[in-house]
Amino acid sequence: MRELTDLEKNRRNKVDQLRESGIEPYPARCDRTHTSAQAIAAFERAVAVETVPATVAGRIRSIRLMGKVIFAHLEDGDGQIQILLKLDLLGQNILDQFKNFYDLGDFIQAGGVLFRTRSGEITLQVEKITMLAKAITPLPASKETVENGERVVHSAFDNPEARYRQRYADLAVNPEVRNIFRTRARIISAIRDFLDGMGFLEVETPILQAIYGGAAAKPFVTHHHQLHQDLYLRISFELYLKRLLVGGIERVYEIGRDFRNEGVSYKHNPEFTQLEFYMAYADYRTIMEIAETMISSVAETVTGSRQITFRGHPVDLTPPWPRLTLREAIRRESGIDIDDYPTAELLAAAMLEKGLAPKAEKHRGKLIENLLSHFVEPNIIQPTFLMDYPRDISPLAKSKTDDLRTVERFEGFVAGMELCNAFSELNDPQDQEQRFLEMSRSFSEEEEDRHPTDEDYLNAMRYGMPPNGGFGLGVDRLTMLLTNQPTIREVILYPHLRLKEEES
RNA sequence: GGCCCACUAGCUCAAUCGGUAGAGCAGCUGACUCUUAAUCAGUUGGUUGAGGGUUCGAGUCCCCCGUGGGUCACCA
């Protein structure tokens, strides 16, 4: 247990003193009649005909002692409202009690009547004031003022580590952080509305999986004690969702958490929120149209526009998005035409000339992915679909009929990030079995990267799976885009942080 | 995992060449009946992320560790 600071000890003593004088500093009930916004609206509606009584509740965010009068601002979920305590109305005892026992950060309740101050601010003239929850630890100091219509924050609590570790304090003092998460919730609602409107069924599939699959990632491993069985946290929903197509559900989606045991970065968190949907009788071209329609309409619902600004760049999400083959995009950005280098060795040599240092043991598809992430991805600011990917990095996608080395797959890029990934799903059980075999062969040297073959998935597919298109979207990245945040940590409430060494 | 940067009061930040650790806000005491970063006067508060070293003397230089940020690598 951490020792309290002097400031905290001081406040804790106030709790004791309040109790000694018969006041409970943490009462179970309050009787708020208005939020701050409701109170202000009620006063504006009343047009000074009558007095408007109201009881508001919230956190004390500022106090201005003026001798025989005290101004303060309360903050609640709707915003802030000013309160005024006057000596002639409340008496010396109440005023002294406020001065001695009420601090910034305390939750209080204030009842009285609304009026407008000389400077024009709608304010509650307090008749009764009650402590609702005494704060022991002072909030990280921050003061704000409005200058020329701009909100200026002084001494803002902005150390990223402290903010992420103590997100509660971050949210309490930084309203713009609260807004990010409101927007995030609206994004997810908008996605649901969109898909529900198309007749998709939302489902939940296992997070604990005996056999993981559906993506290229290392899993987290856990263990079921009673069953004596290792389990993996899912790295994707894909294989479970597509089984549902076999079961006759034609349109299905899931929004949930994936877990990938890999490096963290400004666009990677070990757990992240993914949307996947699968649609029978659709192929990747149909999915592409749905993707651009969905993302742009979510943007419009949430931000009011299909044109947004991301880190200073105007980004226009209005469909249709440009479509470009992966081969063409790489050729434009790097000068390498991958079709000129049919083997991994030749391609690696060409990449070496361009200043890349590809690992010799990589296979060709991985090298192409390298080219994509190095030359192409950072340069795509406007939304763009890259299509037609190498078969050997797309084991669940259907090959193009005229080119067996290439599959019907696309990824959507915006603002230098991969946002979504989709393909015409492979539904030929023999082909799928073959792909699984190829995968386990080509990675047999690196135990760590090997993925187990999901026999049951093949069983399902042998019952017959309708042709379908599938789609995956990084919800956190979409949120970054629509809230203009430079790192994924800003759009995840509790991003992964290393355990901090405790001092004993 | 590599490299670079940061870590100083509750918060945000200073501290010259290695020479007494400082400011604003918060806190505390007082003045003030329309303030809103209120104002004014006074005042408390520090194991400079941890540990070790060099030195007469270390926030500052060296070593090591921790955490965070950035970047590169990794990510069938």
Side-chain angles (χ1 to χ4, degrees):
Chain A
M1 173 83 168
R2 164 179 78 90
E3 177 150 16
L4 297 181
T5 64
D6 289 346
L7 272 65
E8 291 168 326
K9 284 175 185 159
N10 187 347
R11 287 182 174 211
R12 195 191 48 194
N13 290 339
K14 293 180 183 181
V15 170
D16 297 339
Q17 289 164 27
L18 280 169
R19 286 219 171 93
E20 280 161 20
S21 62
I23 296 168
E24 172 51 48
Y26 302 98
R29 263 164 282 284
C30 72
D31 33 45
R32 161 162 98 167
T33 62
H34 294 70
T35 67
S36 57
Q38 287 166 348
I40 289 165
F43 181 81
E44 278 170 340
R45 268 198 313 275
V47 218
V49 183
E50 56 203 305
T51 58
V52 180
T55 298
V56 296
R59 214 192 252 286
I60 304 177
R61 290 312 309 275
S62 63
I63 297 174
R64 291 173 293 285
L65 300 175
M66 305 280 304
K68 299 188 175 59
V69 65
I70 301 170
F71 283 98
H73 269 98
L74 295 196
E75 183 172 69
D76 63 14
D78 278 4
Q80 294 201 355
I81 186 166
Q82 181 168 256
I83 63 171
L84 170 63
L85 287 77
K86 291 174 80 173
L87 175 68
D88 49 16
L89 256 133
L90 295 167
Q92 193 63 51
N93 281 350
I94 302 291
L95 232 59
D96 285 346
Q97 196 179 78
F98 187 88
K99 284 183 201 167
N100 294 331
F101 297 114
Y102 286 54
D103 291 296
L104 296 181
D106 292 350
F107 283 94
I108 66 164
Q109 171 178 299
V113 294
L114 294 156
F115 76 110
R116 197 182 288 273
T117 63
R118 269 172 227 163
S119 54
E121 179 163 353
I122 295 170
T123 298
L124 184 79
Q125 182 165 284
V126 176
E127 290 160 3
K128 184 160 191 265
I129 189 153
T130 315
M131 179 69 73
L132 292 181
K134 180 79 195 148
I136 303 299
T137 306
L139 287 171
S142 80
K143 280 197 164 190
E144 57 183 81
T145 177
V146 177
E147 283 164 22
N148 309 323
E150 291 282 300
R151 195 171 136 267
V152 182
V153 181
H154 308 268
S155 267
F157 179 52
D158 65 0
N159 178 281
E161 178 178 3
R163 286 180 47 236
Y164 302 147
R165 286 193 193 279
Q166 298 196 46
R167 187 64 100 174
Y168 35 88
D170 185 29
L171 291 162
V173 302
N174 292 322
E176 65 280 6
V177 175
R178 292 201 292 269
N179 274 332
I180 289 170
F181 292 100
R182 287 201 186 94
T183 303
R184 182 185 168 110
R186 287 165 58 218
I187 288 168
I188 292 171
S189 294
I191 291 171
R192 282 209 169 92
D193 288 347
F194 182 91
L195 292 172
D196 292 347
M198 287 185 69
F200 278 86
L201 181 73
E202 181 174 10
V203 299
E204 293 169 279
T205 62
I207 291 173
L208 294 176
Q209 302 182 346
I211 294 176
Y212 60 93
K218 292 191 190 83
F220 288 92
V221 189
T222 186
H223 188 78
H224 191 295
H225 294 298
Q226 199 166 17
L227 300 181
H228 306 295
Q229 179 187 22
D230 277 343
L231 290 167
Y232 303 93
L233 302 187
R234 67 181 172 191
I235 57 173
S236 86
F237 326 150
E238 173 147 4
L239 301 182
Y240 281 95
L241 288 178
K242 280 193 284 187
R243 282 170 166 94
L244 300 177
L245 299 182
V246 173
I249 299 173
E250 289 187 358
R251 297 183 177 191
V252 66
Y253 75 97
E254 177 164 5
I255 295 172
R257 210 71 63 83
D258 271 341
F259 306 85
R260 296 189 180 174
N261 205 339
E262 287 164 5
V264 300
S265 79
Y266 74 96
K267 47 186 173 183
H268 296 87
N269 194 61
E271 53 182 301
F272 63 100
T273 299
Q274 174 102 326
L275 159 72
E276 288 188 26
F277 72 70
Y278 295 85
M279 184 174 173
Y281 314 113
D283 66 11
Y284 79 140
R285 291 188 170 272
T286 312
I287 301 296
M288 214 179 282
E289 284 166 22
I290 294 172
E292 62 192 3
T293 306
M294 179 176 79
I295 292 168
S296 61
S297 80
V298 167
E300 189 161 21
T301 302
V302 168
T303 71
S305 172
R306 288 161 190 244
Q307 279 106 39
I308 60 170
T309 301
F310 186 75
R311 308 197 68 187
H313 298 282
V315 173
D316 187 352
L317 296 168
T318 308
W321 298 359
R323 289 138 163 80
L324 194 61
T325 63
L326 178 60
R327 174 190 169 198
E328 177 60 15
I330 290 174
R331 198 190 59 74
R332 280 190 200 173
E333 297 291 340
S334 73
I336 293 175
D337 185 340
I338 52 176
D339 281 10
D340 291 346
Y341 306 95
T343 68
E345 290 70 26
L346 290 170
L347 187 56
M351 288 166 70
L352 209 55
E353 276 178 34
K354 296 287 176 188
L356 290 186
K359 295 233 173 99
E361 73 274 16
K362 293 284 181 197
H363 54 133
R364 185 165 173 275
K366 282 303 300 174
L367 296 175
I368 293 171
E369 231 172 23
N370 260 348
L371 285 167
L372 165 64
S373 60
H374 190 267
F375 287 107
V376 183
E377 182 170 355
N379 295 327
I380 301 183
I381 303 301
Q382 297 306 315
T384 305
F385 289 127
L386 299 187
M387 46 198 290
D388 301 343
Y389 277 61
R391 170 188 152 116
D392 58 1
I393 53 167
S394 314
L396 301 159
K398 195 174 274 191
S399 292
K400 291 180 76 75
T401 42
D402 56 350
D403 176 7
L404 294 182
R405 295 184 58 167
T406 304
V407 296
E408 294 196 355
R409 171 179 174 188
F410 73 84
E411 292 186 312
F413 294 85
V414 187
M417 286 189 296
E418 178 198 335
L419 198 60
C420 58
N421 179 22
F423 27 91
S424 301
E425 303 291 338
L426 183 55
N427 64 341
D428 171 347
Q430 277 177 288
D431 192 355
Q432 187 65 74
E433 187 171 11
Q434 185 61 30
R435 303 287 191 95
F436 281 157
L437 283 174
E438 284 170 21
M439 281 299 139
S440 62
R441 258 206 305 280
S442 57
F443 293 94
S444 54
E445 326 87 61
E446 294 173 74
E447 266 302 308
E448 224 181 350
D449 286 352
R450 256 182 108 172
H451 275 224
T453 296
D454 191 336
E455 291 291 346
D456 182 68
Y457 179 65
L458 293 172
N459 276 339
M461 198 180 282
R462 286 188 199 106
Y463 278 113
M465 179 186 289
N468 69 94
F471 175 83
L473 170 81
V475 173
D476 310 281
R477 289 184 185 174
L478 180 62
T479 305
M480 285 169 67
L481 188 70
L482 297 184
T483 58
N484 193 21
Q485 292 303 313
T487 146
I488 200 166
R489 287 180 286 267
E490 292 293 349
V491 302
I492 292 175
L493 277 169
Y494 303 105
H496 177 75
L497 295 175
R498 213 180 287 255
L499 258 182
K500 202 158 186 179
E501 203 179 8
E502 287 292 327
E503 289 177 45
S504 49

